[in-house]
Amino acid sequence: MHKKTRKTKLAYSLKSPIENLNKKGRTKTAIPIAKLPNENEVSLSVIIHNSGKPGPTILFSAGMHGDEINGVEIVRNIDHLLTNEYQLTKGKIILLPIINPFGFTNFSRYLPDGKDLNRSFPGSKNGSLASIIAFILTNTILPHIDFGIDFHTGGEQKFNYPHLRIDLNDKKALEIAKITETNTIIHSTYIAKSFRKISAQKNKPILVFEGGESNRIDNAVIDTGITVALNLMSNLELIKDIYIHTSNQKIYKHSSWLRAKSAGIFKSVVKVGELVTKKQTIGFISSPLNAYNIPIITPHEGIVFGINNSAIVYKGEALFHLAFN
Ligand SMILES: [Zn+2]
C-alpha cells in the first residue's frame, strides 16, 4: 500500500530575514517562533540596517535572558541612532532587540519551561522552545554575520560593572574587543552550548557585554553599551566621525568570586568598577546581634567588576567578583 509521507512544516520562515538583508535602508522582520496556548503568535524581531555598500555585517543582540533589560535598551538606542542620527556608510547591522520574547514578557531569565536559551545552542527545530530559538539564530542569523556583540546584565541582585567578556585565546574576538575601546575586557572560557561558543566555532566571534543587573535599568551602563557599539562601527568606518574616544583599556586574564565566610548582614565599602589593592578590606559581614564583624579582604589587586546587592547573605554566597592578572 502506498504510504503518504508528510514533510515537517517549519513554524517559521528561514527566508524572510535573508530577503530583507539585501534591501537598502532599515527593514523590520518578524520570524514566527511558536504559538502561545491562546493561539497568539510569538515572533523574533529582526531589524536590519543595510548601507547598500560592501562591508562587514555586525550583529547587536539582547534579551537572550529575558529579564536583562539594559541590553534591550542599548539595542533600541543603536537602532534609533542609526535611523535618526548616523548614516551607515558601509556594511550591514543586524539587530535582535529581544531574543527571548517569552522571558521578556514574563520578567524572567528563562523560557516558560525553565530552559536557559544560552545553554541550548546550536538548537534543534524539533526541540524545546529554547532549542527552537537557538536553531533559528544558528541557522538564520549566524550565517549572515561576521561578528557581533550580545548584550547581557548580571543576575538577580548581582550588579556588573560594564565590561566585555571574551576568550583571550580568540585573537579575532580580542581584536574586535580592543577597537570597541571598552575600558574593561575580562577573559572568560566558553560555556557549553552557549551562543558565544557556537559562534566561535564558526569563526564569527560574539562578544558578550555585561552591565548592571537583571530587571533594572541603569543609565550609565546603557550609555557605555551604546558607546561600545558606536566606537566599533566608527573605528571600522561604518559610521563617520563620531564617538572617537580613547580609553585606558585594561585586559584581565583571571576572575573569581569572593564568597561569604559566614551568614549575616553584608555591606560593601567599595563601588563596582573600583580598582583595589591586595589585602584591601572591601566589605564586612556582620552578625545582627554583634557576635562578629568579619572583614572581606582581597586576595589580589585588580578590579571589583561585580557586587552582590543583597543586604542579607548566607555562608558561601558570591559577594564580590574580582578580575586580576
Ligand atoms: Zn545574560
Side-chain angles (χ1 to χ4, degrees), residues 97-159:
I98 307 165
I99 296 179
N100 173 4
F102 298 93
F104 183 76
T105 46
N106 284 307
F107 323 113
S108 166
R109 175 184 178 90
Y110 303 105
L111 275 298
D113 62 359
K115 291 251 167 37
D116 186 329
L117 177 53
N118 210 18
R119 307 289 182 271
S120 304
F121 284 84
S124 154
K125 64 183 175 188
N126 298 316
S128 67
L129 272 181
S131 194
I132 291 170
I133 299 175
F135 182 82
I136 293 173
L137 291 181
T138 305
N139 294 285
T140 309
I141 306 296
L142 266 187
H144 301 288
I145 67 158
D146 293 300
F147 51 86
I149 301 178
D150 192 29
F151 292 92
H152 287 251
T153 77
E156 203 181 334
Q157 300 281 9
K158 305 264 186 356
F159 191 101

Side-chain angles (χ1 to χ4, degrees), residues 26-74:
R26 180 187 187 271
T27 53
K28 190 165 162 267
T29 305
I31 306 176
I33 301 169
K35 281 188 173 170
L36 293 174
N38 66 1
E39 295 194 14
N40 284 358
E41 206 159 72
V42 179
S43 54
L44 178 72
S45 294
V46 185
I47 297 169
I48 298 169
H49 290 265
N50 184 343
S51 66
K53 300 201 178 84
T57 299
I58 306 175
L59 173 71
F60 295 120
S61 57
M64 171 82 74
H65 297 127
D67 58 355
E68 300 185 0
I69 314 303
N70 287 329
V72 178
E73 186 61 5
I74 290 165

Side-chain angles (χ1 to χ4, degrees), residues 58 60 74-83 85-88 93 95 149 151 176 179-182 209 222-245:
I58 306 175
F60 295 120
I74 290 165
V75 173
R76 184 186 74 78
N77 273 278
I78 296 168
D79 180 38
H80 177 81
L81 291 169
L82 288 175
T83 306
E85 303 267 338
Y86 307 118
Q87 200 193 344
L88 199 63
I93 304 296
L95 303 174
I149 301 178
F151 292 92
I176 297 161
I179 58 175
T180 66
E181 301 187 44
T182 187
F209 174 95
I222 291 163
D223 285 348
T224 306
I226 296 166
T227 304
V228 160
L230 289 177
N231 278 339
L232 179 63
M233 292 188 283
S234 176
N235 286 332
L236 292 171
E237 298 179 338
L238 271 69
I239 50 177
K240 290 226 163 102
D241 300 331
I242 56 122
Y243 266 86
I244 305 292
H245 84 111

Side-chain angles (χ1 to χ4, degrees), residues 260 262-266 285 308 310-315 317-319:
S262 176
I265 295 170
F266 168 52
I285 293 184
N308 188 335
S310 302
I312 299 165
V313 295
Y314 282 85
K315 185 179 175 178
E317 204 163 316
L319 303 178

